[in-house]
Amino acid sequence: MAKFETWDGLELNYRVWEGEGIPVVLQHGVVADTNANWMSTGVVAALHSAGHTVVSLDARGHGRSGKPHDAARYSWQAMARDVRALYDELEFEEVAQVGYSMGGVISLMVAATDRRVRRLAVGGIGSGVLDCGGVDRRVIDLPDLQAAMTGDGADASPTAKMFRVLADAVQADVQAIHAVATGLDDRPIETLADITVPALVLAGEDDPFAAEPERLADALPNGELAVVPGDHLMAVLNPAFHTALVDFLR
């Protein structure tokens, strides 16, 4: 594990597994971290076994990275800028960018603006990117996620409570996650037309956050789709997810 100071002075944590070829950069979903989203699910092992250099970033407010409780320190643009700052820190000239859920939205934003991204894979998102500009607020809205991170989360919806259970399981800083859910309250994506690199949409067949994934894949100029068994939390654990990702990046 290593740390670096990002563009606004916040210290972020990342981890590198050395391999060959273009590095694969991973960005996890909300509440999760490198271990919960990528290591414990077998994704890092699958990519590293295939020979890839793998790099995973703990987003601000998550994992071992800095966790300010000020919502002004969080925005979609800030998190996308953090990923680009990691490229700078490691002096990457080209990368394959991979993101899940919140990290999928961030990865789309990075791929739209940074020519170092040569391939892109996103999971846990679908038509919400097109209809809501990011995370599908028809499934969960940010105030509900904020409620899940307040007190014991009893006033939140069942969907939001799922994220509180995850937060408690990974010992997340719920005040920081509340600030994240407050700071991300905007529409980060208006168009996907600028993402011309080969792109894979990976969706769990029972994942409500990845509804109509074919619409997202079709909206990407060079997109393709792989649907695997599982819901939002379980799809990334499925060997079919690992196989589809490794095959796409090969």
Side-chain angles (χ1 to χ4, degrees):
M1 292 178 288
K3 293 184 182 291
F4 77 106
E5 190 174 284
T6 191
W7 55 275
D8 65 348
L10 194 65
E11 193 172 65
L12 301 183
N13 185 82
Y14 67 94
R15 185 162 180 176
V16 179
W17 293 262
E18 295 290 350
E20 298 179 351
I22 297 175
V24 180
V25 178
L26 307 176
Q27 182 64 82
H28 60 76
V30 71
V31 178
D33 55 20
T34 290
N35 180 60
N37 209 145
W38 305 120
M39 294 175 63
S40 65
T41 58
V43 172
V44 168
L47 291 169
H48 198 232
S49 294
H52 295 286
T53 292
V54 183
V55 181
S56 183
L57 176 66
D58 282 347
R60 57 178 60 209
H62 297 75
R64 291 180 170 87
S65 288
K67 303 177 183 67
H69 292 170
D70 179 4
R73 299 296 297 276
Y74 300 97
S75 69
W76 290 108
Q77 290 73 22
M79 289 187 168
R81 193 171 174 182
D82 288 340
V83 175
R84 296 194 296 269
L86 179 65
Y87 297 172
D88 294 339
E89 173 72 14
L90 298 178
E91 299 182 337
F92 287 156
E93 296 181 357
E94 53 184 5
V95 302
Q97 180 64 42
V98 178
Y100 196 80
S101 192
M102 176 188 78
V105 176
I106 294 166
S107 296
L108 288 168
M109 295 172 66
V110 174
T113 59
D114 198 310
R115 294 183 179 180
R116 289 172 289 187
V117 178
R118 302 300 173 84
R119 296 183 81 81
L120 171 69
V122 296
I125 52 177
S127 62
V129 172
L130 307 176
D131 298 337
C132 306
V135 174
D136 199 331
R137 298 187 186 186
R138 298 165 298 193
V139 182
I140 186 173
D141 61 9
L142 291 173
D144 202 24
L145 183 56
Q146 294 163 20
M149 301 300 153
T150 302
D152 62 1
D155 294 333
S157 70
T159 300
K161 286 179 182 177
M162 173 184 74
F163 288 96
R164 179 55 185 264
V165 171
L166 176 60
D168 291 341
V170 302
Q171 298 182 325
D173 182 332
V174 294
Q175 289 180 275
I177 301 300
H178 186 282
V180 171
T182 305
L184 296 185
D185 194 13
D186 61 5
R187 182 185 178 102
I189 295 175
E190 296 294 341
T191 179
L192 300 174
D194 295 330
I195 304 175
T196 58
V197 297
L200 173 67
V201 176
L202 267 167
E205 60 187 3
D206 298 316
D207 183 358
F209 291 92
E212 301 176 300
E214 66 281 356
R215 288 182 56 204
L216 176 56
D218 289 345
L220 290 161
N222 198 6
E224 60 183 87
L225 172 65
V227 177
V228 303
D231 59 16
H232 195 66
L233 295 182
M234 299 304 293
V236 72
L237 279 160
N238 197 290
F241 185 103
H242 309 160
T243 298
L245 181 58
V246 169
D247 287 348
F248 173 72
L249 295 175
R250 178 170 294 128

